[in-house]
């Protein structure tokens, strides 16, 4: 049976090779990429993403009368075309939505899920050591059951006004006609070329004629257009039990390894039953108060909401929001609070459906008080800081510090708003840039490697690890789509890619905007630092290290390691005069794209 399936998959892969080489090969630019701007202000709704085609498709949905949920799904599907190494139907994500009808924030957990066959020792070799990380990444074994198609279907059913077919029509047309390749797409392809060559379907799609598509050429993906049309016709059932799901299972269990590749590619144990069992789950959002505002985030299995929330609580309790505080004193408290919150994240957060995760405790002001009291400026807490004692009331820590594990710096984030007051913050991913490196033959999308977000072995021997693999379990994430309400109405929405640095990016933007006196565009553009409670130091961009603030933090004992670029945020703010301000990156990842339906500066 396995042999027959493999032969069928290989044949499809070869078929895909001939079709896609013609379709996706470098071509004269017939399409001009839409113009892109990092900020846009106006009425009628807004979209912010990393990509101008995707933002334009979201705006088009708003112009056609769709709401923020419709626009978010359309923008996400368009990002599956133009940012296929960061997001797509082969991955998962977290969807946070302010529902203007009910005045509440709702969240959908579309995280990829381990198949029922994956046990706690599933990433260990016979000698008890973990497989090399690269072997896990480029394999079927790290592919989680994708959650994105179900997220789209459920989000539309719960809060949209359009059908899946309606919102997918624009992205399908984009996949068919293609987009103009930019520097980022070419360099991401080249960075992945070696592993993409190992899989015939991936090389055929992304390395036509053996090279990455040239900058300025048009990249088409008719296979993905067909996938979107199938989803449009049949709904998410085409994936969870239908022919797309069959193709995913066949690919995971028998990856289309290219001729001549000698290394063993690990296969996964995903079955159709795993796909049928998948459900994007509505979760109660995390909630903290900050400076009189309500900050809502994504609950476990993401650590985004608890860690951003806890850090904000500690920061505020330690006095960080005091208006008279100088920038350096505020920054010191911000970094100390982040280290403490990360200590607790690493120790306690995983999939709350499989084990107890103390979400309420971690986001409570009482717990923050037991942590904030450890901060005593001008001293800097030595990293790594130990986690807090959950049941303690005094000032202190308990147990050993736990490392955070590794998460790749990929993913994408988008925000949308509509004229009726709905707002969406949606972060989606396939984990690494390029995911598992495996395109589902003939279907035009990459599979995720999200299960590498599990810790293969307990990070501290003898301490229960909340993030070990397990059957049906969702790996811990750092994705932090966030919506801030003021007096019950949306004020801000923000999120970013970047693995575990997402938390620092979102937390930093919130503090810069809400407490640091910066405008939202300034807060997004500001140099970034991601304090993750590591003895190796906090990741910091060169511009941060070169700034007076960065130098002052070094003088106060903070340790940094230089990181070229952190995150790619997309955000928006509802202004007091009724306009919406959409904000994307001005520079990072080549700059993002913000747009509004009716521009009014
Ligand atoms: N897998 C990561 C997470 O769930 C996201 C990867 C990224 O942002 O690059 O947090």
């Amino acid at each position: 049976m396995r042999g027959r399936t493999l032969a069928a998959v290989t044949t499809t892969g070869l078929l895909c090779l001939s079709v896609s080489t013609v379709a996706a090969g470098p071509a004269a630019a017939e399409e001009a990429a839409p113009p892109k701007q990092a900020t846009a202000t106006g009425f009628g709704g807004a979209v912010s993403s990393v990509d101008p085609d995707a933002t334009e498709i979201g705006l088009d949905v708003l112009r056609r009368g769709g709401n923020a949920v419709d626009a978010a799904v359309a923008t996400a599907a368009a990002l599956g075309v133009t940012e296929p190494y960061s997001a797509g139907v082969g991955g998962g994500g977290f969807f946070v939505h302010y529902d203007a009808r009910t005045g509440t924030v709702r969240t959908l957990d579309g995280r990829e899920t381990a198949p029922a066959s994956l046990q706690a020792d599933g990433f260990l070799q016979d000698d008890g050591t973990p497989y090399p990380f690269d072997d896990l990444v480029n394999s079927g074994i790290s592919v989680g059951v994708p959650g994105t198609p179900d997220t789209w279907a459920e989000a539309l059913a719960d809060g949209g006004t359009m059908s899946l077919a309606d919102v997918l029509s624009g992205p399908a047309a984009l996949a068919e006609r293609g987009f103009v390749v930019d520097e980022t797409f070419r360099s991401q392809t080249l960075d992945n070329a070696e592993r993409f060559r190992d899989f015939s379907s991936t090389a055929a799609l992304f390395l036509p004629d053996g090279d990455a598509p040239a900058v300025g050429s048009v990249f088409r993906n008719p296979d993905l257009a067909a996938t979107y049309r199938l989803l449009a016709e049949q709904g998410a059932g085409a994936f969870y039990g239908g022919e797309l799901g069959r193709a995913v299972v066949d690919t995971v269990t028998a990856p289309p390894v290219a001729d001549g590749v000698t290394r063993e590619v690990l296969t996964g144990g995903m079955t159709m039953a795993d796909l049928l069992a998948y459900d994007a789950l509505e979760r109660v959002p995390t909630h903290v108060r900050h400076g009189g505002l309500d900050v809502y985030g994504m609950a476990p299995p993401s650590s985004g909401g608890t860690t951003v929330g806890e850090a904000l609580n500690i920061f505020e309790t330690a006095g960080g929001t005091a208006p008279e505080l100088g920038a350096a004193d505020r920054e010191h408290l911000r970094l100390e609070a982040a280290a403490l919150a990360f200590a607790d994240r690493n120790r306690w957060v995983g999939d709350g459906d499989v084990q107890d995760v103390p979400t309420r405790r971690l986001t409570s002001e009482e717990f923050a008080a037991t942590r904030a009291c450890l901060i005593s400026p001008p001293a800097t807490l030595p990293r790594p800081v130990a986690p807090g004692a959950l049941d303690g009331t005094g000032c202190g820590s308990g147990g050993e510090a736990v490392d955070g594990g590794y998460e790749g710096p990929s993913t994408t984030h988008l925000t949308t708003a509509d004229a009726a007051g709905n707002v969406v913050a949606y972060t989606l991913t396939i984990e690494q840039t390029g995911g598992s490196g495996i395109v589902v033959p003939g279907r035009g999308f990459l599979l995720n490697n999200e299960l590498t977000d599990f810790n293969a072995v307990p990070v501290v021997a003898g301490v229960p690890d909340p993030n070990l693999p397990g059957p049906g379990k969702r790996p811990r994430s750092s994705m932090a789509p966030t919506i801030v309400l003021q007096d019950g109405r949306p004020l801000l929405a923000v999120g970013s890619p970047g693995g575990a640095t997402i938390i620092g990016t979102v937390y930093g933007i919130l503090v810069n905007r809400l407490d640091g006196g910066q405008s939202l565009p300034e807060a997004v553009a500001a140099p970034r630092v991601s304090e993750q409670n590591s003895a190796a130091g906090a990741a910091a961009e060169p511009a941060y290290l070169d700034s007076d603030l960065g130098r002052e933090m070094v003088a106060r004992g903070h340790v940094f390691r230089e990181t070229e670029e952190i995150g790619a945020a997309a955000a928006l703010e509802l202004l007091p005069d009724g306009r919406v301000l959409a904000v994307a990156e001005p520079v990072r990842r080549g700059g993002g794209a913000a747009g509004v339906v009716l521009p009014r500066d």
Side-chain angles (χ1 to χ4, degrees):
M1 190 61 192
R2 174 70 60 90
R4 279 219 308 280
T5 308
L6 180 60
V9 167
T10 308
T11 308
T12 319
L14 289 174
L15 195 66
C16 164
L17 180 70
S18 57
V19 171
S20 295
T21 301
V22 175
E30 298 151 23
E31 298 276 335
K36 65 181 177 187
Q37 51 189 14
T39 62
T41 314
F43 297 98
V47 180
S48 178
S49 83
V50 298
D51 178 77
D53 286 293
T55 292
E56 187 51 36
I57 280 180
L59 289 172
D60 185 56
V61 164
L62 292 172
R63 286 187 204 107
R64 287 195 280 135
N67 71 6
V69 172
D70 304 319
V73 174
T75 306
L79 289 168
V81 178
T82 58
E83 298 279 317
Y85 308 143
S86 298
V89 289
F94 297 100
F95 193 99
V96 178
H97 167 212
Y98 173 80
D99 186 339
R101 290 168 312 185
T102 58
T104 57
V105 176
R106 308 173 64 185
T107 72
L108 269 177
D109 161 10
R111 186 66 161 168
E112 299 92 329
T113 299
S117 55
L118 186 68
Q119 303 299 324
D121 61 357
F123 289 163
L124 303 184
Q125 306 175 94
D126 290 344
D127 66 2
T129 61
Y131 286 105
F133 189 69
D134 263 11
D135 289 2
L136 290 173
V137 169
N138 303 292
S139 78
I141 200 174
S142 68
V143 180
V145 177
T148 293
D150 199 39
T151 304
W152 294 352
E154 296 226 358
L156 291 174
D158 291 348
T161 65
M162 289 179 159
S163 68
L164 192 58
D166 274 343
V167 298
L168 288 181
S169 63
L174 176 63
E176 195 74 63
R177 74 170 182 274
F179 65 91
V180 180
V181 170
D182 64 5
E183 287 287 354
T184 304
F185 186 77
R186 178 166 169 85
S187 72
Q188 287 182 339
T189 312
L190 289 174
D191 289 348
N192 281 286
E194 202 178 317
R195 68 192 191 113
F196 282 2
R197 279 195 189 99
D198 287 353
F199 300 102
S200 54
S201 51
T202 313
L205 181 59
F206 294 123
L207 298 168
D209 304 324
D211 189 18
V215 174
S217 67
V218 174
F219 183 84
R220 300 190 175 89
N221 191 341
D223 289 342
L224 183 58
T227 292
Y228 281 169
R229 290 193 182 114
L230 200 60
L231 282 169
E233 278 161 31
Q234 299 181 5
F239 205 97
Y240 302 98
E243 69 173 82
L244 290 174
R246 179 80 263 160
V248 168
V249 167
D250 289 347
T251 308
V252 168
T253 53
V257 181
D259 289 344
V261 173
T262 49
R263 74 180 173 81
E264 191 200 350
V265 173
L266 296 165
T267 58
M270 193 186 295
T271 64
M272 287 299 269
D274 292 319
L275 281 164
L276 284 164
Y278 188 84
D279 204 7
L281 299 166
E282 177 146 11
R283 303 258 181 219
V284 176
T286 60
H287 170 245
V288 300
R289 295 274 296 166
H290 182 75
L293 306 171
D294 293 283
V295 181
Y296 289 92
M298 196 62 229
S302 185
S303 61
T306 57
T307 315
V308 170
E310 184 186 345
L312 287 172
N313 276 344
I314 296 171
F315 173 74
E316 186 163 340
T317 307
T321 57
E324 67 278 8
L325 211 61
D329 289 337
R330 183 184 317 110
E331 182 70 354
H332 174 74
L333 295 180
R334 189 176 80 81
L335 296 176
E336 296 288 83
L340 289 160
F342 251 94
D344 298 322
R345 167 221 191 246
N346 295 348
R347 173 67 184 87
W348 303 110
V349 182
D351 184 348
D353 287 347
V354 174
Q355 74 238 330
D356 287 339
V357 178
T359 300
R360 291 182 82 88
R361 176 76 178 149
L362 292 175
T363 51
S364 71
E365 287 170 16
E366 295 73 30
F367 186 60
T370 73
R371 307 294 278 150
C373 53
L374 293 167
I375 302 175
S376 55
T380 300
L381 289 164
R383 315 303 197 240
V385 183
L390 287 180
D391 47 9
T393 49
C395 187
S397 302
E400 252 185 276
V402 178
D403 191 76
Y406 175 81
E407 284 166 27
S410 179
T411 306
T412 196
H413 176 81
L414 62 99
T415 55
T416 61
D418 63 29
N422 296 291
V423 172
V424 172
Y426 181 24
T427 314
L428 63 164
T429 186
I430 56 173
E431 211 314 268
Q432 295 240 314
T433 305
S436 64
I438 308 173
V439 165
V440 179
R443 305 295 178 174
F445 64 90
L446 282 156
L447 290 171
N448 69 82
N449 65 300
E450 210 70 52
L451 303 188
T452 59
D453 276 1
F454 284 126
N455 298 332
V457 289
V459 177
V460 178
V463 176
D465 193 310
N467 193 32
L468 289 178
K473 192 172 172 183
R474 299 181 181 205
R476 178 173 64 207
S477 170
S478 299
M479 289 187 273
T482 303
I483 293 181
V484 180
L485 304 188
Q486 182 172 36
D487 302 326
R489 298 171 71 90
L491 174 68
L492 292 172
V494 60
S496 175
T501 69
I502 291 171
I503 290 165
T505 294
V506 169
Y507 170 54
I509 290 172
L510 291 175
V511 170
N512 285 342
R513 172 67 193 90
L514 300 174
D515 307 305
Q518 294 185 2
S519 67
L520 188 59
E522 288 168 342
V524 167
R528 289 195 184 132
V529 56
S530 175
E531 171 56 68
Q532 294 167 214
N533 191 33
S534 166
E541 291 182 334
Y544 184 86
L545 298 174
D546 286 346
S547 67
D548 289 346
L549 195 62
R551 279 189 283 272
E552 173 66 26
M553 289 308 105
V554 172
R556 291 189 187 198
H558 291 274
V559 178
F560 301 106
R561 63 200 153 81
E562 187 170 312
T563 303
E564 198 183 327
E565 192 174 282
I566 297 176
L572 60 80
E573 178 167 350
L574 284 307
L575 302 176
D577 63 8
R579 292 179 302 161
V580 57
L581 166 64
V583 182
E585 293 286 356
V587 176
R588 294 180 183 93
R589 285 206 199 172
V596 292
V597 173
L598 292 170
R600 290 286 184 282
D601 287 332

